[in-house]
Amino acid sequence: MNTPQTNFNINNIKSTFLRSIFGLQNQHLPIWLMRQAGRYLPEYLAIRNKAGSFMNLCTNVDLATEVTLMPINRFNLDAAILFSDILVVPDAMGLGLSFVENEGPRFAKTINTISDLNTLQTDNIMDRLQYVPNIIKNLKTKLPTNIPLIGFSGSPFTLACYMIEGASSKNHSKIKAIMYNNSDFMHQLLTIITNSIITYLNAQIEAGCDTVMIFDSWGGILTDRDFLEFSLPYITQICKSIHNSYNGIPIPKISFTRGLNHMIGNIASTKVIDVIGVDWTCNLSYARELTESHTTTNSNKVTLQGNLDPVLLLVGDKPALKKQVERILHDYYISNNESLNNLIFNLGHGVLPHTNPDHVAYLVDIVHDISMNFKM
Ligand code: 1CP
């Protein structure tokens, strides 16, 4: 539980993850992995079988806590991410989420016409999402104090994709039909989602999350102009509206748009995003160059997070993994005035099913070890 802190001193932060964001000296580079609690872990598959369905796992405080802690117990990771899903928000709005075996998420109801917006149940949304703060409070009693907890949500645009398409989609033709032909409708939907996400992320922070991340997983299907109209302004509004600090402790905001690395400068120019996720398709030196002329609200340097190819972790042998880690660190170091500060190592997207957990352990340990040869 959060207790009011009156004399909080940033220099006393123990977490390597938070220290990196605040540009403080670190012993080694922090690393965590998107989808670190997931289907590549045998213990996850076992508990998922026992729970019966993915939603049973997400809504049960004890089980969701146990799954969040699985990768923390197994690997030397520097941060935990709440076990949940971005799609629990549209579920709480009344769309009826289920996960079909080998098919992915599916909604019973979808948004097709502007009149469907009136059917979205957004009043008192936290009544239907109360299990999430309950999981967070439970986790905070179990996590070591140097391991921060990352809360998260989808971006409004990414959630709108699922709410309109009803499931994963190949070319997103339904959402694009609305976006291109009826942009007012699109903006109305995005505004409704944005307001619910602000409530939801504030509830996560109040329950104890140390940072929050916005997954804009489908931002990359947009042209850059449409990204600037339909995705980034809503992410910005969320970051501006949620707690900048809580109980006197700053709450960093992370945003990750997959597939639009050339927009990283625009993302940094909002000044309200502390950490920007970088997928695996661009060099970190390019991302650093794009962020160089911007600082965050708290006058910190923008932190970068990424950018190892998740397929390398799936198929690469240990020498290949080591070579790529060395390259990523070297490229960042050179472009960041010969320092590894303001970097968080991660994959460029989530850990893939069938990834060998031994390789995950190896990756975490070599990132720590190799980074100690660099100035931080
Ligand atoms: O079958 C199963 O057991 C479910 C697999 C699974 C898992 C483990 C899903 C279904 N979601 C999750 C957990 C999850 N999802 C986390 C937990 C924390 C962690 O990272 O360890 C997080 C942060 C998410 C976020 C999420 N869900 C995103 C954003 C990140 C990303 O991968 O781009 C997205 C797009 C989703 C939707 C979703 N949920 C599940 C699947 C298979 C998908 C993707 C479907 C698609 O490709 O459209």
Side-chain angles (χ1 to χ4, degrees):
M1 279 277 283
N2 261 309
T3 46
Q5 313 250 334
T6 44
N7 51 358
F8 172 73
N9 179 347
I10 223 166
N11 293 299
N12 296 338
I13 293 177
K14 290 201 187 73
S15 145
T16 54
F17 171 96
L18 293 170
R19 291 185 71 83
S20 183
I21 296 173
F22 297 123
L24 300 169
Q25 272 207 328
N26 250 339
Q27 291 198 319
H28 58 70
L29 198 64
I31 169 171
W32 71 279
L33 305 174
M34 289 186 270
R35 298 283 179 107
Q36 62 191 22
R39 286 169 293 177
Y40 73 104
L41 284 178
E43 58 269 38
Y44 170 81
L45 293 174
I47 205 171
R48 163 88 162 77
N49 251 343
K50 203 175 88 184
S53 76
F54 178 70
M55 282 309 279
N56 285 348
L57 207 50
C58 284
T59 53
N60 182 299
V61 172
D62 291 329
L63 296 182
T65 301
E66 198 179 329
V67 177
T68 304
L69 296 174
M70 281 173 180
I72 303 301
N73 295 335
R74 214 191 226 264
F75 312 115
N76 297 316
L77 291 159
D78 295 281
I81 182 161
L82 166 72
F83 184 78
S84 188
D85 198 85
I86 61 167
L87 301 178
V88 300
V89 171
D91 182 55
M93 290 177 174
L95 294 190
L97 173 64
S98 58
F99 284 86
V100 187
E101 207 61 52
N102 300 322
E103 237 186 78
R106 187 164 293 282
F107 284 106
K109 285 201 275 181
T110 53
I111 301 296
N112 303 299
T113 64
I114 202 153
S115 59
D116 290 336
L117 297 181
N118 299 324
T119 66
L120 288 172
Q121 298 161 24
T122 53
D123 289 348
N124 305 318
I125 195 161
M126 285 315 299
D127 289 355
R128 295 175 297 286
L129 287 167
Q130 194 49 46
Y131 58 91
V132 174
N134 291 345
I135 296 164
I136 294 167
K137 285 179 199 160
N138 195 37
L139 273 167
K140 290 301 282 183
T141 66
K142 303 213 150 80
L143 276 166
T145 51
N146 64 333
I147 303 293
L149 179 61
I150 305 168
F152 67 92
S153 79
S155 72
F157 180 76
T158 292
L159 292 186
C161 285
Y162 289 99
M163 292 167 76
I164 293 170
E165 303 286 340
S168 307
S169 166
K170 247 204 177 119
N171 56 15
H172 293 92
S173 52
K174 289 183 186 149
I175 189 170
K176 286 193 173 176
I178 294 173
M179 186 182 85
Y180 287 130
N181 300 325
N182 195 346
S183 62
D184 280 356
F185 173 9
M186 192 68 219
H187 282 298
Q188 281 185 46
L189 173 60
L190 292 167
T191 301
I192 292 170
I193 301 171
T194 298
N195 291 332
S196 290
I197 291 176
I198 291 167
T199 306
Y200 181 54
L201 289 181
N202 270 338
Q204 292 188 27
I205 294 167
E206 287 158 21
C209 282
D210 301 280
T211 176
V212 289
M213 173 151 171
I214 298 172
F215 286 94
D216 189 27
S217 305
W218 295 113
I221 66 166
L222 294 170
T223 66
D224 39 19
R225 281 214 181 106
D226 289 324
F227 172 72
L228 295 178
E229 177 173 351
F230 296 101
S231 191
L232 188 59
Y234 294 97
I235 295 173
T236 307
Q237 198 187 326
I238 292 167
C239 292
K240 270 189 188 155
S241 307
I242 60 177
H243 299 298
N244 195 33
S245 64
Y246 193 67
N247 286 334
I249 304 175
I251 305 290
K253 290 137 209 131
I254 311 172
S255 187
F256 171 51
T257 295
R258 183 164 58 104
L260 276 188
N261 291 322
H262 60 289
M263 300 307 280
I264 282 173
N266 300 70
I267 297 170
S269 74
T270 65
K271 299 198 182 299
V272 291
I273 294 162
D274 302 273
V275 184
I276 300 180
V278 186
D279 69 26
W280 66 94
T281 62
C282 88
N283 194 296
L284 285 179
S285 59
Y286 172 69
R288 179 47 81 209
E289 202 180 299
L290 296 180
T291 57
E292 214 145 41
S293 58
H294 305 286
T295 52
T296 68
T297 333
N298 304 324
S299 306
N300 288 316
K301 194 188 277 190
V302 174
T303 296
L304 300 178
Q305 176 176 279
N307 86 320
L308 190 97
D309 182 358
V311 179
L312 170 58
L313 187 58
L314 176 72
V315 302
D317 56 22
K318 289 182 177 173
L321 260 175
K322 183 159 185 260
K323 185 168 156 194
Q324 189 61 13
V325 168
E326 282 167 347
R327 278 188 183 161
I328 290 174
L329 298 195
H330 180 263
D331 288 343
Y332 183 82
Y333 187 75
I334 297 300
S335 65
N336 193 56
N337 296 325
E338 305 207 336
S339 165
L340 286 189
N341 66 18
N342 298 97
L343 176 64
I344 295 166
F345 203 96
N346 205 317
L347 304 182
H349 199 210
V351 183
L352 293 162
H354 308 298
T355 295
N356 181 348
D358 288 345
H359 283 207
V360 175
Y362 177 75
L363 172 68
V364 173
D365 290 341
I366 59 164
V367 166
H368 285 167
D369 289 350
I370 297 173
S371 69
M372 286 196 261
N373 301 325
F374 293 83
K375 200 172 86 213
M376 256 174 284

